Amino acid sequence: MYKLFFRLFFTRMDPEQAHHLAFRWIRLAARVPVLRTFLAAALAPRYKELRTEAFGLRMHGPFGLAAGFDKNAVAIDGMAMLGFDHVEIGTVTGEPQPGNPRKRLFRLVQDRALINRMGFNNDGSAAVAARLHARVPVFRTVVGVNIGKTKVVPEAEAAADYVKSTERLARHADYLVVNVSSPNTPGLRNLQATESLRPLLTAVREAADRTVTDRRVPLLVKIAPDLADEDVDAVADLAVELGLDGIIATNTTVAREGLKSPARLTGETGGLSGAPLKERSLEVLRRLYARVGDRITLVGVGGVENAEDAWQRILAGATLVQGYSAFVYEGPFYARAVHKGLAARLNASPYATLAEAVGADTRKAAV
């Protein structure tokens, strides 16, 4: 039903307009008590065997919504209603910004992919913090907060901008993500170099500890799939050295190899997400797990279209898995299908728990 609706209706709309329309429906549904209860029962069934613990947080399962869909923390309960076990909001910047000029979001239907150059359009850290503070949760879900650099802030002053967001948002975050890997903010990816990343992550860690004194806010970094293998290793080593809680692998890519969509679409600048990212994201994840093992929690994202993709991420080393682009193509039953398929795969596997399955294939390959 959804795929027919998508083909007949959404594909005729501008992708950003379609996003806002679907987003509005989700938010409205989550505000109606009877409707949201019915939808949650249908779309978010719970499987005891999928219960997951990460960063000291207990979740219904390992599958969450990646950053980028709910930039301003306005539909957390709506996304939980649709079955996502955790919701990562953002990317949020120190100051509000409109993002890049439209048109800035493109569907590559033949490739089941998206290209975006949104440019961190968001309400800013102060407004998002106020919204999170006022939120009265309807559904229990883990909320991650993804922070990035304000576009007008010079690269040399990036740490102070991230610290500003941290001081405003850390107390409202179940976990905090430093995003240095979007291709749509000039100079941002330069911060992935360890000589820049070390002082940035140290400053954010200190700000989080200074701001939130009654608990330790887990801190993660999100990296690009376009890093060279030796740079992936360097980030992994730095994460261990600094005592980070996790790494998210990966953000969007600037690569365009092997796409089937017309050149007028594939030639658009921005980050490519969706199915074409699957192989490289999985490679980065395997490399990270081989480097850090169980010392750091890994989150797999990029080209996760179905339960098999999620299962492969877990076997490669991911404790948590996230999706976004496939949600556009699969619709409201996306998370339900992933959970059902994951439960079936776990029950058919030699592993007693999901935790036991994490990294199993990567460990075997190393023997």
Side-chain angles (χ1 to χ4, degrees):
M1 175 69 82
Y2 173 80
K3 291 182 180 180
L4 178 63
F5 183 81
F6 177 84
R7 187 168 66 250
L8 295 179
F9 185 59
F10 276 152
T11 55
R12 300 174 188 271
M13 295 180 65
D14 172 80
E16 192 168 350
Q17 286 182 321
H19 171 85
H20 288 308
L21 178 61
F23 206 42
R24 192 175 306 120
W25 289 343
I26 293 168
R27 292 168 62 189
L28 288 172
R31 291 174 186 164
V32 181
V34 174
L35 180 58
R36 72 185 178 220
T37 300
F38 172 78
L39 288 174
L43 302 176
R46 304 302 183 192
Y47 295 86
K48 290 182 179 180
E49 59 267 43
L50 296 184
R51 288 175 182 170
T52 300
E53 184 170 327
F55 325 121
L57 304 168
R58 293 181 180 178
M59 308 182 200
H60 293 297
F63 189 58
L65 181 70
F69 196 90
D70 187 0
K71 296 177 183 294
N72 293 306
V74 295
I76 294 169
D77 286 310
M79 305 319 296
M81 175 188 72
L82 295 182
F84 292 100
D85 302 311
H86 65 275
V87 176
E88 190 171 309
I89 66 157
T91 296
V92 183
T93 53
E95 300 299 328
Q97 55 186 30
N100 292 322
R102 300 188 185 193
K103 191 175 181 179
R104 54 192 182 180
L105 180 64
F106 307 87
R107 288 190 214 93
L108 282 65
V109 178
Q110 289 176 258
D111 296 291
R112 291 180 60 82
L114 302 172
I115 290 175
N116 93 83
R117 52 171 179 265
M118 303 300 288
F120 288 169
N121 55 309
N122 73 104
D123 295 341
S125 57
V128 173
R131 191 169 293 128
L132 288 170
H133 177 71
R135 175 176 173 253
V136 179
V138 174
F139 296 104
R140 184 176 70 84
T141 191
V142 166
V143 178
V145 178
N146 184 302
I147 59 174
K149 185 180 80 68
T150 306
K151 185 176 182 179
V152 298
V153 170
E155 190 177 324
E157 300 172 19
D161 192 53
Y162 280 90
V163 165
K164 178 194 299 182
S165 295
T166 301
E167 290 174 341
R168 290 171 174 171
L169 292 163
R171 62 177 54 88
H172 307 296
D174 290 316
Y175 68 86
L176 194 65
V177 182
V178 170
N179 184 352
V180 288
S181 51
S182 170
N184 301 317
T185 296
L188 185 72
R189 287 191 167 190
N190 295 338
L191 298 175
Q192 292 178 111
T194 53
E195 61 270 20
S196 299
L197 192 57
R198 178 181 283 103
L200 171 59
L201 292 174
T202 300
V204 171
R205 178 73 272 166
E206 290 173 351
D209 292 342
R210 183 172 63 247
T211 303
V212 184
T213 58
D214 60 340
R215 64 183 175 97
R216 185 179 189 278
V217 180
L219 180 62
L220 294 77
V221 64
K222 187 169 187 176
I223 65 172
D226 306 313
L227 286 176
D229 287 346
E230 57 268 26
D231 293 325
V232 172
D233 293 344
V235 172
D237 294 343
L238 179 63
V240 172
E241 175 193 331
L242 297 180
L244 289 193
D245 299 275
I247 301 174
I248 300 180
T250 62
N251 212 320
T252 58
T253 181
V254 295
R256 296 290 189 270
E257 290 82 7
L259 299 179
K260 303 173 185 176
S261 297
R264 62 180 173 80
L265 291 174
T266 60
E268 293 288 351
T269 59
L272 175 74
S273 62
L277 191 55
K278 187 179 306 186
E279 184 176 338
R280 177 55 183 166
S281 291
L282 191 55
E283 286 176 358
V284 172
L285 181 62
R286 288 189 181 116
R287 190 171 191 93
L288 285 169
Y289 187 80
R291 195 82 175 182
V292 304
D294 297 326
R295 292 176 291 176
I296 289 178
T297 298
L298 301 179
V299 182
V301 58
V304 179
E305 296 189 273
N306 49 46
E308 180 59 25
D309 292 333
W311 182 239
Q312 290 304 316
R313 293 303 196 284
I314 290 167
L315 294 176
T319 298
L320 300 179
V321 182
Q322 295 179 340
Y324 177 178
S325 298
F327 180 44
V328 173
Y329 291 102
E330 294 298 317
F333 287 92
Y334 174 46
R336 175 192 170 106
V338 169
H339 284 114
K340 182 178 180 181
L342 270 181
R345 283 162 175 77
L346 177 62
N347 291 330
S349 78
Y351 311 112
T353 65
L354 271 184
E356 191 178 315
V358 170
D361 280 1
T362 303
R363 290 193 299 272
K364 287 177 185 175
V367 174

